[in-house]
Amino acid sequence: MATFELYRRSTIGMCLTETLDEMVQSGTLSPDLAIQVLTQFDKSMTEALENQVKSKVTIKGHLHTYRFCDNVWTFILQDAVFKNEDNQENVGRVKIVACDSKLLTQ
Amino acid sequence: MAASTSSVYVNVIEDVINKVREEFMNNGPGEDVLKELQGTWEAKTMQAGVVNNPIERSAAKGTPGSGVTPVHDLNVPYEGTEEYETPTAEILFPPTPLQTPIPATPIQTPLPGTGDNLYNIPTGGSDYSANESGSSNGGVNAETKGGRPSPYMQPPSTWMNHRPPLDVNIAYVEGRDEVDRGASHQPPTQDFLQMNSGKRKREDFPAQYQAGGFIPQQDGAGDAAPEKFEIEVSGGSTSIASRAWSEMLTRVRSSTPKIPQLDGPIPDPYDELSTPNIYNYQGTFNEDYNVASTPAPHDIPVSTPAPVVQNDVGDDDDDEPPLNENDDDELDDVDQGDELNTAHLVLAQFDKVTRTKSKWKCTLKDGIMHINNKDVLFNKANGEFDF
């Protein structure tokens, strides 16, 4: 199953990466195994998002920058408004990074 | 939502730990190290405030069953009802099983070995042709999908006829429509023979997509003469409206006889089928960017300002200073240093990204948002942006 490494940049992914880094540096973990764990994280995170998350969000804002490179869209929004069912968040500046969903299904 | 984010994260951690356990036990460092990994990971996520402390594993158990709604590709099948979306290879030839039998229709199937293979090359490597030809009858049909009847052909043709007369991209479409018109009911080899004949009509546009495999060769970036292309790039990217700039542009052009790669990647022959309309630039009223392997059409060429800077001294008589790095948006600099720290970040997958004039719409799914120090997960997100 193809996976994205995209989600490693999330908080939970960064926490895992830091943990693995520390453990590899201290010698308790081999780099190979650390990579396996990360790959597993990619899969688990993707599955969890698909299966356990149902919420819907709308995003509005001023598009400051757009970029499409290597099948990854990057948007930088200004004065963005994120709305979901129960609340709304305003952000002065936010970056959206999105991989092509079809790459996973192929 | 924060609570469910936490529980999803807890599930993910457990899932990862469980699935790598075997590896740790067999030839790895063993259960203790795995426990250490889990402990540290959980501690860090709690510290970051994205997982509730203490971890409510019971609550976490409840969630998995609740949301087993699979997320489908929203583009398939294509229903071009809402906005006048430009059809793309992805829409016209969605990589679904539904579509796959169609390429085998004999009508448009060129005889194998009639020379089609010459033109077969560009189409072969794209995601979609690979996908579909693999599931149909093999490589021979890869190029026939361009001409095959498709249920998704109709919507584009209706809006195409309503297209406003705006046509800025003559340089890019040159020769393309002839090809397309020829392609709709003839074997692809015909297209090239008719390339330079006839006149173009906007109404022919839908046919362009039927000729999917051959569009990019004629659409500009790859085959435009360097001089011509540069004018497009300079004018388009820097929004020069005044004719006063034309002289400078000429100078710029002469000082740099050729600007390679300014428009992003030169279209790779293997990408071409999947990138039918990316080089339509301004001429297309509405564009769709959902194509895999599509180089960014609108990225402002980074190196464009450079030659202008070289001409700085010579342009004293101009009212305005020539374009240079100072013209860059200040915020661009902020991007570099800030984006790691500001932490407002959305990580997701995109289903669809479209643009109509300056209005962008995108459909995202399976995302993690980190906004205002909170992690919020979403299954689906619709974005509407003004550029």
Side-chain angles (χ1 to χ4, degrees), chain B residues 134-328:
Chain B
S135 54
S136 55
N137 294 331
V140 174
N141 281 332
E143 82 275 21
T144 69
K145 87 168 87 63
R148 73 168 182 250
S150 163
Y152 310 121
M153 283 297 167
Q154 280 323 106
S157 65
T158 54
W159 79 264
M160 282 296 174
N161 292 332
H162 298 146
R163 172 193 293 263
L166 172 71
D167 185 4
V168 203
N169 62 338
I170 293 191
Y172 296 107
V173 298
E174 186 123 43
R176 180 179 57 200
D177 293 346
E178 288 80 358
V179 172
D180 303 329
R181 185 181 46 199
S184 50
H185 294 293
Q186 292 172 27
T189 41
Q190 296 279 332
D191 306 341
F192 287 90
L193 300 175
Q194 298 178 355
M195 224 177 113
N196 294 320
S197 66
K199 53 189 189 304
R200 305 184 295 108
K201 284 190 281 179
R202 295 309 268 184
E203 289 72 20
D204 288 332
F205 255 80
Q208 154 192 357
Y209 300 100
Q210 299 174 346
F214 310 100
I215 293 159
Q217 284 98 328
Q218 284 84 30
D219 65 357
D223 55 355
E227 291 82 4
K228 185 185 289 181
F229 190 65
E230 188 193 348
I231 291 177
E232 294 287 341
V233 167
S234 304
S237 65
T238 57
S239 303
I240 297 170
S242 159
R243 290 188 66 88
W245 289 99
S246 64
E247 187 199 16
M248 195 187 74
L249 287 175
T250 312
R251 262 189 256 169
V252 171
R253 190 178 65 206
S254 60
S255 70
T256 54
K258 184 174 82 162
I259 297 188
Q261 301 275 348
L262 282 189
D263 54 332
I266 286 178
D268 186 322
Y270 292 94
D271 287 340
E272 282 171 357
L273 181 63
S274 59
T275 60
N277 79 339
I278 59 162
Y279 290 110
N280 283 352
Y281 286 81
Q282 299 93 335
T284 315
F285 220 64
N286 190 333
E287 298 178 10
D288 191 311
Y289 300 101
N290 307 305
V291 186
S293 311
T294 306
H298 288 274
D299 267 5
I300 292 173
V302 178
S303 47
T304 305
V308 184
V309 173
Q310 292 167 8
N311 286 357
D312 221 345
V313 185
D315 288 322
D316 288 340
D317 47 342
D318 281 341
D319 293 324
E320 299 176 56
L323 297 173
N324 56 44
E325 296 95 336
N326 298 332
D327 295 328
D328 289 345

Side-chain angles (χ1 to χ4, degrees), chain A residues 7 51 63 71 89 93 95, chain B residues 67 293 335 339 366 374 386:
Chain A
Y7 300 123
N51 301 325
L63 182 60
N71 292 312
E89 299 277 353
R93 187 178 177 78
K95 181 169 166 175
Chain B
S293 311
D335 291 349
E339 63 186 354
D366 295 352
K374 278 184 289 186
D386 291 316

Side-chain angles (χ1 to χ4, degrees), chain A residues 4 8 14 24 29 35 42 48 55-56 60 62-63 66 69 76 83 85 88 92-93 100-101:
Chain A
F4 291 131
R8 292 182 193 178
M14 295 300 280
V24 168
L29 202 61
I35 287 171
D42 295 337
S55 59
K56 202 181 157 194
K60 289 192 178 165
H62 173 72
L63 182 60
Y66 56 84
C69 190
I76 293 174
K83 280 185 201 166
E85 291 84 4
Q88 170 175 337
R93 187 178 177 78
D100 192 340
S101 62

Side-chain angles (χ1 to χ4, degrees), chain B residues 357-369:
Chain B
K357 290 188 180 172
S358 66
K359 219 169 174 334
W360 289 70
K361 290 190 178 181
C362 60
T363 318
L364 308 176
K365 71 171 193 179
D366 295 352
I368 304 177
M369 307 193 293

